Amino acid sequence: MNIKILVAVHKNYRMPDDPMYLPVFVGKEIHPTVNRTFQGDNTGDNISKKNPHYNELTALYWGWKNLDVDALGLVHYRRYLTMGHSKDLSTILNHEQVEELLTDADVILPKKRHYYIETNESHYLHVHEHEPLEITRQVLKEKYPQYLPAFEKVMKQTSAHYFNMMIMKKQPLDEYCTWLFDVLGEVDKKVDYSDYTPYEQRVFGFLSELLLDTWLLTNPQYKTVEVNRVFLEKQNWPLKIVKFLKRKVTGHGEH
């Protein structure tokens, strides 16, 4: 099975040795000289220039449009999918494990992130600008009404498959990306993010985190399986908790 997992990266960093993983330097069109080793997201059919607004999705778009594979995945340079818990590149999913998982599933996902004390919608509104989410809801209502019930369900839930991480077989990937980038393109036409902070201008990367589950719920014919998600570096959990609680009181801002 021909499988490629794209590793979205924006600086020099250690990479997996497994050839299944393909490092893709995102925003290469904007930063052509930063890294000359990794594959850029600016060849062939691409949206590399939109990286400040689409985040790692410029790598996903590039892989979707330019690679001929049986399955395509997306992870981050510090975040990977794994069957274990070790913060070690040698223990992340390998080709044999991915192939075995895809024997009975069409989509591999990280385990859901849980917020417990708030919904996905309230969390988004505490952290981000409000307008893009409302415009997304309107776009779905007008152009993809069959997805609106799932979207509202995801909004009311307290967990979701965040981080835009997944591995999909070719057919669901093509259907998902066709839908996703059309929805985001419609939102892009209606949102003026020119006055947003640099963090908030990454709006379409944030929205897509909620649209993945929306798409999956509306397409139950595709079977999913969850694995662990590992972050390779240490995280300052006390600081993260303080920031989380602060946002609940003061609203969104740059983080």
Side-chain angles (χ1 to χ4, degrees):
M1 192 175 190
N2 186 6
I3 304 166
K4 280 294 177 188
I5 300 179
L6 310 178
V7 184
V9 59
H10 62 85
K11 62 181 181 180
N12 294 317
Y13 205 83
R14 66 188 186 276
M15 289 290 137
D17 294 326
D18 190 329
M20 175 179 67
Y21 289 92
L22 176 62
V24 177
F25 190 92
V26 295
K28 184 70 170 178
E29 191 71 17
I30 306 168
H31 308 287
T33 62
V34 173
N35 183 290
R36 301 183 186 277
T37 303
F38 299 151
Q39 168 68 50
D41 65 350
N42 62 335
T43 62
D45 189 348
N46 71 86
I47 56 171
S48 181
K49 287 183 178 180
K50 295 185 176 183
N51 178 256
H53 315 301
Y54 279 72
N55 286 17
E56 62 276 352
L57 294 182
T58 60
L60 179 64
Y61 185 95
W62 177 84
W64 168 47
K65 290 293 188 179
N66 296 287
L67 296 181
D68 183 15
V69 293
D70 299 314
L72 184 70
L74 179 66
V75 295
H76 305 175
Y77 69 102
R78 294 181 298 176
R79 248 185 221 105
Y80 289 88
L81 301 174
T82 177
M83 301 293 282
H85 298 278
S86 176
K87 296 186 175 189
D88 190 327
L89 282 175
S90 66
T91 64
I92 62 176
L93 284 183
N94 59 40
H95 189 282
E96 183 180 354
Q97 290 172 326
V98 173
E99 196 165 42
E100 184 175 350
L101 288 166
L102 291 177
T103 301
D104 298 315
D106 303 293
V107 182
I108 302 172
L109 300 165
K111 289 181 179 176
K112 287 185 174 182
R113 182 177 190 173
H114 295 264
Y115 287 113
Y116 300 108
I117 63 172
E118 64 178 351
T119 65
N120 292 315
E121 182 167 17
S122 65
H123 174 75
Y124 189 99
L125 296 177
H126 279 129
V127 177
H128 304 299
E129 296 281 353
H130 296 186
E131 184 184 28
L133 190 65
E134 290 309 314
I135 291 177
T136 300
R137 179 179 272 119
Q138 193 61 34
V139 166
L140 291 176
K141 184 177 180 180
E142 293 174 357
K143 193 167 185 179
Y144 294 100
Q146 69 273 32
Y147 284 87
L148 197 57
F151 179 78
E152 298 298 353
K153 182 175 182 179
V154 172
M155 291 301 100
K156 291 179 175 62
Q157 291 176 340
T158 57
S159 63
H161 296 102
Y162 279 91
F163 305 110
N164 287 318
M165 296 172 66
M166 83 294 284
I167 305 170
M168 291 190 180
K169 288 180 179 176
K170 187 172 185 177
Q171 183 170 328
L173 177 89
D174 183 59
E175 293 175 11
Y176 172 62
C177 287
T178 299
W179 175 82
L180 174 68
F181 287 106
D182 186 58
V183 171
L184 296 180
E186 290 298 318
V187 177
D188 200 350
K189 295 175 185 176
K190 302 175 186 225
V191 174
D192 180 6
Y193 44 77
S194 58
D195 291 331
Y196 289 4
T197 66
Y199 177 78
E200 283 304 302
Q201 287 190 15
R202 296 155 57 184
V203 56
F204 304 107
F206 300 141
L207 290 171
S208 60
E209 290 184 294
L210 299 171
L211 290 174
L212 175 58
D213 279 359
T214 298
W215 187 84
L216 289 169
L217 285 172
T218 311
N219 292 277
Q221 69 273 25
Y222 294 119
K223 296 179 181 178
T224 65
V225 62
E226 293 183 346
V227 297
N228 294 325
R229 179 188 75 248
V230 64
F231 189 77
L232 295 183
E233 299 177 356
K234 290 183 178 179
Q235 298 193 72
N236 189 333
W237 285 108
L239 180 61
K240 288 176 75 72
I241 292 170
V242 168
K243 285 186 174 181
F244 173 78
L245 294 174
K246 183 179 178 182
R247 287 196 301 264
K248 286 188 68 62
V249 176
T250 63
H252 66 81
E254 189 168 2
H255 316 295

